[in-house]
């Protein structure tokens, strides 16, 4: 009795609920729009087709297996299947595509490789051929009727999707397309086999080939679920392609709200691919790789941001990392001061050396010329793509000031090593240094979040958030210093205040020679960590004011870094890994669980 409803209650609804619970922390309005749009399209497209199959007795349902109400002869349970399948497959697609930065996959739209051109044309030819075969095979009361009706209905839609987004789909990693396509398909095959076995629905014997994939699962039913999930995944990917165009190219879409309008989506579809700034895409790819190699915690958290905010955060990190690397790789203090002077001049060209009457393109050309002259080629994209039109200048100059403090250190093994100088004399110097190199980064991140998520935020709330972000940045830098005492000593740096060392009867030289040795160093490490957690405790409640779109990922990134502080403070066996370069970290599983916990708590 009511077997079809039972199928939903036992299989499809619980799966939908489970996937919703898993995906809930990362779902945003865009995901809901995507899924809702596809549900409407799927329902509208399947309704007349399904009604025709039932009328021609390809499908039939025992009266006792359904509740009763119908629309165009279709049981309500079947109508619900249109919705629930689309919803399930869309959620699987969203989960597997969240780590993917779709903008990076636009580079094949102008000059795709030969294999991609061949694959797209081949796909089009195959889909046209299957549509024609399906038309001929879809004659009533033939063994090929059901398979033909599936293909003549689905293949034209697949052809349209493949024509619009084939290259983009081919450029995506397999886990972002094939896996979301086949996982729901396998699950629905099992559900279908169960329903066919129980007689919940049946296929007319004269309309099918009689072959089963397994059990009672007819090959036609297996084909139906495969092609419908291909349609859903293809539709989601096409949607993401147009979103990627909007987010990736500020010259085409200068100002994008957190949620692009339908008009923007239509514009992104109509824009000629020759207008794509592929140099920007390559620069973004370089920035992502720099992030992946240099900061595993932020790389993981960044994938949870959305839209242009995610891209701008990557570009900000790329600039900070590049500037830090220029300083760290320098062979003398003189070289460091040269780099900081060039970085300051780069900022001056953006913020100070500006003429309101100057053509923006001319200004951009002048800045680009300076970058190419003053910096190595590997630095060009990180500097060129920095979103200075959004970022406030003061924290950027402060960041360079922090590098200038670094320049005062003795360079291990350099010709300057006889001139000993350590800039962290006391607690005030330590705090100032942490503000310059980390507090400023927190303020810059908040500036991007406010600009993209809540530009109308009150000045009072902005100030509170910026202050909290600065304090949190200091806390994270204290954790960083506590973690890297050994690593820093190898390059001749001691960030422990001189006053702390004197109180413990130590000198900088003693720390450089034996950074892992005396117990007093461990006491100072713990003191740093206690200061860090005190600042963290004061700033953490203020982070709840971050707009909801960015709150979870931002708090997750902070919690992941503070997890390093917790295990350093606890020193429990198995909770810290000492990596080859001497830095402490935590297992990947713990980083992931910390991030998920932060997301679910928001």
């Amino acid at each position: 009795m009511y077997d079809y409803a039972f199928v939903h209650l036992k299989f499809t609804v619980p799966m939908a609920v489970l996937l919703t619970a898993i995906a809930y922390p990362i779902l945003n309005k865009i995901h809901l729009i995507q899924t809702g749009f596809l549900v409407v399209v799927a329902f509208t497209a399947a309704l007349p087709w399904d009604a025709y199959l039932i009328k021609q007795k390809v499908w039939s349902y025992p009266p006792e297996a359904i509740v009763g109400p119908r629309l165009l002869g279709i049981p309500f349970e079947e109508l619900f299947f249109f919705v629930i399948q689309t919803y399930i497959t869309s959620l699987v697609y969203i989960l597997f595509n969240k780590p993917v930065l779709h903008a990076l996959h636009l580079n094949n739209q102008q000059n795709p490789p030969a294999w991609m051109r061949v694959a797209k044309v081949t796909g089009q030819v195959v889909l046209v051929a299957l549509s024609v075969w399906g038309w001929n095979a879809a004659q009533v009361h033939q063994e090929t009727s059901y398979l033909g009706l599936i293909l003549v209905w689905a293949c034209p839609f697949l052809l349209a999707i493949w024509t619009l987004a084939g290259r983009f789909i081919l450029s995506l990693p397999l886990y972002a397309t094939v896996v979301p396509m086949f996982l729901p398909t396998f699950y629905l095959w099992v559900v279908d086999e169960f329903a066919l076995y129980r007689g919940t629905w049946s296929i007319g014997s004269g309309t099918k080939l009689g072959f089963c994939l397994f059990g009672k699962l007819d090959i036609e039913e297996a084909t139906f679920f495969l092609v419908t999930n291909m349609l859903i995944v293809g539709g989601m990917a096409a949607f993401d392609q147009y979103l990627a165009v909007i987010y990736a190219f500020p010259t085409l879409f200068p100002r994008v709200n957190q949620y692009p309008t339908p008009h923007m989506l239509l514009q992104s579809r109509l824009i000629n691919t020759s207008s794509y700034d592929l140099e920007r895409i390559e620069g973004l790819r370089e920035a992502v790789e720099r992030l992946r190699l240099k900061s595993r915690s932020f790389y993981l958290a960044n994938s949870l941001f959305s839209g242009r905010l995610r891209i701008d955060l990557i570009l900000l990190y790329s600039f900070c990392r590049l500037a830090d690397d220029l300083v760290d790789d320098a062979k003398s203090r003189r070289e460091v001061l040269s780099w900081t002077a060039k970085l300051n001049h780069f900022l001056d060209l953006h913020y100070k050396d500006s003429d309101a009457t100057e053509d923006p393109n001319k200004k951009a050309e002048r800045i680009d010329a300076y970058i190419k002259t003053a910096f190595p080629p590997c630095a060009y994209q990180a500097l060129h793509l920095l979103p200075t039109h959004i970022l406030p200048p003061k924290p950027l100059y402060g960041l360079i000031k922090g590098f200038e403090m670094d320049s005062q250190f003795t360079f291990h093994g350099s010709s300057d090593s006889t001139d000993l100088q350590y800039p962290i004399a006391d607690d005030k110097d330590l705090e100032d240094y942490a503000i310059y190199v980390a507090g400023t980064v927190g303020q810059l991140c908040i500036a991007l979040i406010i600009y993209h998520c809540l530009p109308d935020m009150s000045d009072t709330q902005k100030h509170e958030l910026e202050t909290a972000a600065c304090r949190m940045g200091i806390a994270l830098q204290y954790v960083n210093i506590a973690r890297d005492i050994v690593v820093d000593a190898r390059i001749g740096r001691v960030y422990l205040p001189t006053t702390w060392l004197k109180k413990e009867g130590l000198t900088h030289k003693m720390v450089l020679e034996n950074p892992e040795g005396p117990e007093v160093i461990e006491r100072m490490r713990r003191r740093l960590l206690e200061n860090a957690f005190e600042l963290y405790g004061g700033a953490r409640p203020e982070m709840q004011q971050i707009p909801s779109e960015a709150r979870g990922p931002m708090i997750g990134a902070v919690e992941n870094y503070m997890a390093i502080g917790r295990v350093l403070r606890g020193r429990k066996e198995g909770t810290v890994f000492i990596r080859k370069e001497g830095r402490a970290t935590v297992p990947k599983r713990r980083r992931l669980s910390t991030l998920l916990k932060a997301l679910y708590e928001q």
Side-chain angles (χ1 to χ4, degrees):
M1 191 70 172
Y2 303 148
D3 272 4
Y4 204 163
F6 174 76
V7 168
H8 285 308
L9 291 174
K10 185 172 183 178
F11 294 105
T12 62
V13 172
M15 178 56 68
V17 171
L18 175 62
L19 289 171
T20 302
I22 294 171
Y24 178 76
I26 65 170
L27 291 177
N28 56 42
K29 188 177 178 181
I30 285 293
H31 294 138
L32 299 180
I33 292 172
Q34 277 181 284
T35 304
F37 176 76
L38 280 181
V39 165
V40 171
V41 171
F43 189 92
T44 304
L47 190 66
W49 179 79
D50 203 326
Y52 179 79
L53 263 66
I54 293 174
K55 183 178 180 181
Q56 299 302 324
K57 302 190 184 304
V58 176
W59 280 348
S60 61
Y61 308 88
E64 69 275 8
I66 59 176
V67 175
R70 293 174 180 253
L71 176 65
L72 299 179
I74 307 172
F76 273 25
E77 296 92 333
E78 180 77 1
L79 297 172
F80 182 69
F81 215 122
F82 301 163
V83 175
I84 201 73
Q85 179 187 349
T86 306
Y87 181 74
I88 287 172
T89 304
S90 296
L91 284 181
V92 175
Y93 174 90
I94 289 167
L95 285 167
F96 278 90
N97 274 265
K98 191 56 182 169
V100 180
L101 184 59
H102 291 108
L104 297 182
H105 300 277
L106 295 172
N107 60 331
N108 290 317
Q109 303 306 304
Q110 282 186 14
N111 299 301
W115 74 267
M116 191 173 287
R117 290 196 296 268
V118 171
K120 182 175 180 179
V121 173
T122 301
Q124 290 171 321
V125 170
V126 169
L127 289 169
V128 169
L130 288 174
S131 298
V132 173
W133 185 89
W135 175 265
N136 293 324
Q139 304 304 313
V140 179
H141 305 309
Q142 288 188 10
E143 291 183 345
T144 57
S145 293
Y146 186 17
L147 185 59
L149 285 166
I150 292 171
L151 296 177
V152 77
W153 168 74
C155 288
F157 289 112
L158 285 172
L159 178 62
I161 291 171
W162 191 250
T163 300
L164 293 173
R167 291 175 185 171
F168 181 74
I169 293 171
L170 286 170
S171 70
L172 293 174
L174 294 179
Y175 69 78
T177 53
V178 175
V179 174
M181 196 182 300
F182 277 97
L183 277 183
T185 298
F186 291 144
Y187 182 74
L188 293 173
W189 281 352
V190 173
V191 174
D192 195 19
E193 202 276 337
F194 172 82
L196 288 168
Y197 179 80
R198 289 177 60 91
T200 306
W201 55 75
S202 61
I203 304 169
S205 59
T207 63
K208 61 182 180 177
L209 295 172
F211 299 120
C212 293
L213 185 64
F214 59 84
K216 289 186 173 293
L217 180 65
D218 296 287
I219 195 69
E220 292 87 352
E221 284 287 273
T223 302
F224 170 76
F225 284 113
L226 176 60
V227 297
T228 50
N229 283 326
M230 289 171 68
L231 285 167
I232 297 166
V233 169
M236 294 289 284
F239 203 103
D240 278 338
Q241 176 184 347
Y242 303 137
L243 284 175
V245 173
I246 293 171
Y247 294 141
F249 304 122
T251 53
L252 300 178
F253 296 91
R255 184 64 191 264
V256 179
N257 296 326
Q258 187 69 7
Y259 307 113
T261 63
H263 178 66
M264 285 183 173
L265 288 168
L266 180 60
Q267 278 183 300
S268 68
R269 168 65 192 96
L270 298 176
I271 288 173
N272 194 299
T273 57
S274 62
S275 302
Y276 292 0
D277 182 0
L278 297 189
E279 184 180 359
R280 176 178 172 84
I281 298 301
E282 288 307 308
L284 181 57
R285 188 184 308 280
E286 180 184 299
V288 170
E289 184 63 11
R290 184 176 284 124
L291 173 63
R292 186 185 70 83
L293 293 174
K294 299 291 187 176
S295 178
R296 295 188 296 171
S297 294
F298 190 63
Y299 179 75
L300 180 63
N302 179 265
S303 65
L304 299 172
F305 290 98
S306 300
R308 194 169 285 176
L309 171 61
R310 179 180 179 181
I311 291 174
D312 283 344
L313 285 169
I314 291 171
L315 297 177
L316 170 61
Y317 180 87
S318 181
F319 168 80
C320 297
R321 189 73 258 176
L322 169 82
D324 190 36
D325 287 346
L326 289 173
V327 171
D328 283 348
D329 295 341
K331 304 303 181 184
S332 68
R333 264 177 268 158
R334 180 178 300 175
E335 185 180 351
V336 170
L337 291 174
S338 172
W339 286 127
T340 56
K342 290 176 180 178
L343 289 166
N344 275 318
H345 186 61
F346 164 75
L347 296 177
D348 289 343
L349 291 175
H350 277 286
Y351 295 110
K352 295 182 179 179
D353 184 20
S354 60
D355 181 356
T357 62
E358 184 180 14
D359 181 87
N361 293 327
K362 293 290 185 182
K363 179 180 177 180
E365 290 174 4
R366 185 161 52 87
I367 295 174
D368 276 0
Y370 175 72
I371 295 172
K372 292 175 181 178
T373 302
F375 295 91
C378 63
Y380 174 75
Q381 294 290 0
L383 297 169
H384 172 70
L385 296 179
L386 182 68
T388 52
H389 64 291
I390 302 174
L391 298 168
K394 185 177 178 181
L396 287 170
Y397 282 106
L399 185 66
I400 308 306
K401 178 67 176 176
F403 298 145
E404 289 177 356
M405 290 185 70
D406 276 329
S407 74
Q408 298 176 52
F409 280 97
T410 300
F411 281 79
H412 190 63
S414 77
S415 59
D416 300 327
S417 60
T418 55
D419 183 16
L420 301 178
Q421 188 173 6
Y422 297 92
I424 313 297
D426 51 29
D427 292 73
K428 179 64 167 57
D429 289 335
L430 178 64
E431 182 181 21
D432 287 346
Y433 174 74
I435 290 173
Y436 288 140
V437 300
T440 55
V441 177
Q443 292 173 315
L444 292 166
C445 289
I446 289 298
L448 290 176
I449 290 171
I450 293 173
Y451 177 86
H452 287 294
C453 299
L454 197 60
D456 297 329
M457 180 181 285
S458 68
D459 291 340
T460 300
Q461 196 174 2
K462 284 182 184 178
H463 178 71
E464 290 175 353
L465 263 182
E466 289 168 356
T467 302
C470 184
R471 291 203 307 271
M472 189 64 78
I474 298 170
L476 298 184
Q477 185 60 25
Y478 284 178
V479 171
N480 191 56
I481 293 171
R483 180 192 66 177
D484 291 346
I485 291 174
V486 174
V487 175
D488 291 329
R490 291 175 185 167
I491 57 173
R493 297 183 181 183
V494 179
Y495 289 95
L496 298 169
T498 304
T499 53
W500 292 16
L501 296 177
K502 287 183 177 179
K503 185 176 180 180
E504 299 290 352
L506 294 177
T507 64
H508 295 98
K509 183 178 180 181
M510 293 167 67
V511 176
L512 294 175
E513 291 176 348
N514 189 15
E516 298 182 88
E519 174 62 27
V520 292
I521 293 180
E522 185 60 31
R523 285 204 299 270
M524 285 185 279
R525 188 198 309 275
R526 291 179 181 276
R527 182 175 174 182
L528 269 173
L529 293 171
E530 291 304 320
N531 290 347
F533 277 95
E534 183 178 351
L535 287 163
Y536 161 82
R540 178 65 176 78
E542 299 294 334
M543 294 186 72
Q544 295 301 126
Q545 298 185 56
I546 295 174
S548 58
E549 299 92 335
R551 186 188 309 133
M554 201 70 184
I555 291 176
V558 167
E559 292 297 340
N560 252 326
Y561 215 88
M562 293 306 294
I564 298 173
R566 290 186 178 94
V567 294
L568 282 171
R569 189 168 60 173
R571 289 286 181 172
K572 294 178 181 178
E573 185 178 356
T575 60
V576 180
F577 291 153
I578 303 301
R579 293 162 59 192
K580 189 173 182 179
E581 61 269 33
R583 286 187 170 94
T585 185
V586 295
K588 186 175 182 179
R589 184 164 56 181
R590 175 164 178 173
R591 294 200 307 272
L592 184 60
S593 64
T594 299
L595 186 58
L596 289 175
K597 181 181 178 182
L599 289 173
Y600 276 102
E601 287 178 348
Q602 301 316 306

